[in-house]
Amino acid sequence: MPAMRYTRCLSATYIDHPSRGPLKFFVERVSSWNHQDPFAFDLQIREGDQVTCYHGTTSLLGLRHDAATNQVTASAAEAYASAAGYKDLMTGWSPGVLERVENDRRLVSDYLLSAAAESTDGHYRNREEGYWQNLLSQAFGRNWQPGMDWLIVDRESVVGFASDADRRQILGPIQAKYERVRADLQNEDSRTWGPPTDKGLGNECDFLAIGPAGELLCIELKHGSNTSGIYWGALQAAVYRDIFAAALSSISDDIKALVRQKVAIGLLPHKALARLPDGEFRCVVPVLAVADPNDRSACWDLLDKVMQRCPDARVPVVEIRNQQDPAPVPRL
């Protein structure tokens, strides 16, 4: 079996770097920088010793530690090059620069607000999938409370492999199984299902969460306006379940280490530690979550047909309707 990993923790060198001062400030203040919208910015730890700030489906800023130079540098897409403070942030984060950033706290916040304003509507402002990604990540992450169904521990979750050959060996058969179901339906009735496509079902799970019984949840999120996304979403959730189930014995300790570190730096509450299982996660459960669902959409009948065709894609489906209380409710 190829080696699999989920190593998204920051290194001890990064944690002990002088950047810890402003990084701490960044973690503590980022949710308050957009006074009209506390969900606008979502911080996550990424493989490669990086902290990333998401605005819906786009990354606005990354802070990466370079072990060779022991420096922390900022990076962002060139699409945000005209945002306020971009040039000042895209420099080596030496202690001198860190001191300046700490003293001029508006530099980072002004950049993020400006970059968010320049992002396309589809990333966040249309209040569709990207908006709900940020909202749920924080509602069931930083703002998690005991008793909630989900403790979201990461987003855009991908199992890592030592090589592309190893990745293909594990992912290839899993993805092919469910892509074949989609292809068969499309070939039989392209008017209903759309024409056959070469686009894969992917391997990136929207949310990785821990359930109340120590189960690992692979959550695929769709907005109610995304008709085809919803009925194919059952296949996607099944793909993620099978991938993470294959990797479970290899990555359980990695995931628990990530949770502990996120608690230590303030990205998860301390009480989240109580949800960690003593050993390996009990099982992997797929979930298809639909935010702001449209009850009159044709997607529900088509979703049923997908599940009938592929029993392994009979995944739990939940609805999220209330932004103030986004508790997932099973769809009956």
Side-chain angles (χ1 to χ4, degrees), residues 141-157:
R142 295 185 68 154
N143 301 326
W144 180 83
Q145 296 292 329
M148 288 182 169
D149 291 336
W150 302 340
L151 168 64
I152 290 180
V153 300
D154 207 0
R155 59 185 283 186
E156 281 78 52
S157 303

Side-chain angles (χ1 to χ4, degrees), residues 106-184:
R106 292 186 58 186
L107 176 62
V108 176
S109 60
D110 284 355
Y111 164 74
L112 288 176
L113 290 168
S114 179
E118 293 186 12
S119 67
T120 64
D121 288 348
H123 287 312
Y124 188 86
R125 278 192 300 273
N126 62 4
R127 292 296 193 266
E128 294 185 0
E129 187 168 327
Y131 171 78
W132 284 95
Q133 281 183 342
N134 271 39
L135 187 155
L136 296 177
S137 179
Q138 294 179 55
F140 297 104
R142 295 185 68 154
N143 301 326
W144 180 83
Q145 296 292 329
M148 288 182 169
D149 291 336
W150 302 340
L151 168 64
I152 290 180
V153 300
D154 207 0
R155 59 185 283 186
E156 281 78 52
S157 303
V158 181
V159 172
F161 295 86
S163 68
D164 287 340
D166 287 348
R167 181 181 296 106
R168 289 192 297 270
Q169 180 182 339
I170 298 297
L171 268 58
I174 293 173
Q175 293 168 323
K177 171 183 175 179
Y178 297 102
E179 288 167 3
R180 191 176 305 114
V181 174
R182 181 182 62 181
D184 287 346

Side-chain angles (χ1 to χ4, degrees), residues 242-314:
D242 290 359
I243 293 172
F244 276 86
L248 194 59
S249 61
S250 300
I251 65 174
S252 285
D253 287 344
D254 290 340
I255 295 170
K256 291 193 290 184
L258 175 63
V259 171
R260 293 188 185 102
Q261 186 172 88
K262 292 182 84 168
V263 168
I265 65 176
L267 291 177
L268 286 175
H270 187 270
K271 48 201 165 188
L273 296 175
R275 185 159 282 196
L276 293 178
D278 291 334
E280 187 176 305
F281 290 98
R282 187 170 62 85
C283 61
V284 180
V285 177
V287 178
L288 175 60
V290 182
D292 197 14
N294 178 1
D295 292 327
R296 293 175 292 180
S297 173
C299 70
W300 307 113
D301 288 338
L302 296 176
L303 176 60
D304 287 341
K305 291 178 180 178
V306 170
M307 292 183 178
Q308 290 170 15
R309 178 62 68 95
C310 182
D312 285 348
R314 290 184 182 274

Side-chain angles (χ1 to χ4, degrees), residues 48-223:
D49 230 5
Q50 175 164 304
V51 175
T52 296
C53 181
Y54 287 96
H55 181 62
T57 57
T58 186
S59 167
L60 297 182
L61 181 65
L63 303 179
R64 182 183 298 275
H65 176 255
D66 184 340
T69 62
N70 194 26
Q71 296 293 309
V72 175
T73 57
S75 63
E78 291 186 4
Y80 304 117
S82 60
Y86 178 92
K87 292 182 180 178
D88 290 331
L89 286 171
M90 302 306 124
T91 59
W93 282 51
S94 66
V97 174
L98 288 172
E99 182 180 354
R100 173 176 59 79
V101 173
E102 188 77 322
N103 292 333
D104 184 10
R105 294 181 172 184
R106 292 186 58 186
L107 176 62
V108 176
S109 60
D110 284 355
Y111 164 74
L112 288 176
L113 290 168
S114 179
E118 293 186 12
S119 67
T120 64
D121 288 348
H123 287 312
Y124 188 86
R125 278 192 300 273
N126 62 4
R127 292 296 193 266
E128 294 185 0
E129 187 168 327
Y131 171 78
W132 284 95
Q133 281 183 342
N134 271 39
L135 187 155
L136 296 177
S137 179
Q138 294 179 55
F140 297 104
R142 295 185 68 154
N143 301 326
W144 180 83
Q145 296 292 329
M148 288 182 169
D149 291 336
W150 302 340
L151 168 64
I152 290 180
V153 300
D154 207 0
R155 59 185 283 186
E156 281 78 52
S157 303
V158 181
V159 172
F161 295 86
S163 68
D164 287 340
D166 287 348
R167 181 181 296 106
R168 289 192 297 270
Q169 180 182 339
I170 298 297
L171 268 58
I174 293 173
Q175 293 168 323
K177 171 183 175 179
Y178 297 102
E179 288 167 3
R180 191 176 305 114
V181 174
R182 181 182 62 181
D184 287 346
L185 288 167
Q186 290 173 326
N187 285 321
E188 291 169 10
D189 185 358
S190 61
R191 184 172 181 179
T192 298
W193 302 100
T197 176
D198 292 331
K199 184 178 179 181
L201 290 171
N203 66 328
E204 185 175 278
C205 181
D206 285 331
F207 293 120
L208 202 61
I210 303 174
E215 67 273 37
L216 190 65
L217 306 175
C218 291
I219 303 170
E220 176 64 13
L221 175 67
K222 300 296 182 183
H223 187 263

